[in-house]
Amino acid sequence: MKDWLIRRLAVKMMISEKTLEAVINHQFQSANEALLNNKSVEISGFGKFFFNQKKAEKRMETLKKTQQTLLNILASPETTEQKRVSTEQKLQFTLSNMEALKPKLHEN
């Protein structure tokens, strides 16, 4: 979708795709940083996006339960090597999601 948007805008605005891609990447990075530091961010022409504290708390609880389940699978002696590898990948993804939520929830 992003590539399509860049190509379309590049043709319409007669700007190089590399320049346009750099601008779009910067805008998305800035929006992500703003959302981390604030409870909302408004992008002109797209709308206003809010951080929902209750949904984030529920999501964190779900992630903690998932983490515990994955750790139990890894601790089991019956877990095959293939299952262990996929479980470790899922655990890393879960932990990264938890780390992303912690600053907003003011958790350590």
Side-chain angles (χ1 to χ4, degrees), residues 45-97:
F46 287 98
K48 192 167 187 173
F49 301 90
F50 295 94
F51 179 80
N52 188 316
Q53 187 76 24
K54 287 186 180 185
K55 281 186 180 181
E57 289 169 358
K58 286 181 183 179
R59 178 74 176 140
M60 182 60 85
E61 288 304 314
T62 302
L63 289 170
K64 286 179 180 179
K65 289 177 185 175
T66 302
Q67 177 190 20
Q68 190 57 50
T69 301
L70 295 172
L71 289 172
N72 291 341
I73 292 170
L74 289 173
S76 173
E78 293 128 19
T79 304
T80 64
E81 187 60 33
Q82 183 179 5
K83 179 76 171 177
R84 186 173 305 283
V85 169
S86 69
T87 302
E88 286 173 352
Q89 290 174 344
K90 290 175 187 175
L91 181 60
Q92 288 303 316
F93 181 73
T94 300
L95 292 173
S96 67
N97 282 336

Side-chain angles (χ1 to χ4, degrees), residues 6-48:
I6 290 171
R7 272 188 248 116
R8 183 141 184 197
L9 286 173
V11 170
K12 186 177 180 179
M13 299 174 72
M14 292 185 283
I15 299 174
S16 76
E17 287 184 25
K18 282 186 176 186
T19 302
L20 202 51
E21 183 175 14
V23 169
I24 289 173
N25 286 339
H26 175 72
Q27 290 297 320
F28 278 107
Q29 185 178 13
S30 297
N32 282 332
E33 289 172 8
L35 201 50
L36 283 175
N37 297 324
N38 304 301
K39 296 288 184 187
S40 67
V41 65
E42 186 170 356
I43 301 173
S44 180
F46 287 98
K48 192 167 187 173

